[in-house]
């Protein structure tokens, strides 16, 4: 879905009454006044549908995934690149334990991509 985009905008926080906040307010009134704050990342102008490992992804796609993992402070376990089962990259086993691959820059995928 993101293949071919020149850039990708990611909402990283909100502005509420002149203040930056990273959590949405529970009040509907306050929520209506929130304005998104975006960070723009470079896109990748190539298909990822044939990628089967993190090492196969374009560097900017890998950078995007790393950015999301750091922003959310959560590891990414699965990357889906299309509707087929073989278009799914299992980054870490979501059941049997985390590898924290996209939160740690010392993984082979990041060494190869950098």
């Amino acid at each position: 879905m993101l293949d071919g985009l020149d850039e990708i905008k990611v909402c990283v926080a909100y502005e509420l009454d002149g203040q930056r906040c990273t959590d949405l307010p529970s009040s509907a009134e306050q929520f209506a006044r929130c304005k998104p704050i975006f960070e723009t990342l470079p896109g990748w102008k190539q298909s990822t549908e044939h990628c089967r490992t993190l090492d196969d992804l374009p560097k900017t796609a890998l950078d995007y995934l790393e950015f999301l993992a750091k922003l959310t402070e959560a590891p990414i376990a699965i990357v889906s690149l299309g509707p087929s089962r073989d278009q799914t990259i299992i980054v870490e086993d979501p059941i049997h334990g985390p590898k924290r691959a996209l939160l740690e820059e010392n993984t082979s995928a990041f060494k190869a991509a950098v």
Side-chain angles (χ1 to χ4, degrees):
M1 175 173 260
L2 300 176
D3 290 355
L5 295 177
D6 290 325
E7 60 184 27
I8 301 168
K9 290 187 176 209
V10 178
C11 181
V12 296
Y14 297 92
E15 183 182 313
L16 175 61
D17 301 332
Q19 298 291 322
R20 182 184 174 108
C21 59
T22 55
D23 297 318
L24 285 174
S26 57
S27 157
E29 271 183 9
Q30 288 180 328
F31 178 73
R33 295 194 314 270
C34 282
K35 295 179 182 155
I37 298 171
F38 293 102
E39 188 160 327
T40 302
L41 303 172
W44 49 96
K45 307 263 316 170
Q46 64 190 88
S47 174
T48 57
E49 68 179 317
H50 298 295
C51 297
R52 297 298 177 261
T53 68
L54 288 177
D55 292 323
D56 296 338
L57 291 172
K59 181 175 180 340
T60 50
L62 199 57
D63 291 345
Y64 172 74
L65 293 173
E66 181 181 8
F67 176 84
L68 293 179
K70 287 180 179 178
L71 177 68
T72 61
E73 298 178 0
I76 293 176
I78 297 172
V79 178
S80 179
L81 303 168
S84 300
R85 285 185 183 196
D86 68 339
Q87 291 178 298
T88 302
I89 299 172
I90 306 296
V91 178
E92 67 178 43
D93 187 329
I95 297 171
H96 296 103
K99 294 180 201 168
R100 307 288 179 197
L102 291 173
L103 288 176
E104 298 176 10
E105 294 184 25
N106 61 352
T107 63
S108 63
F110 286 106
K111 284 183 196 174
V114 174

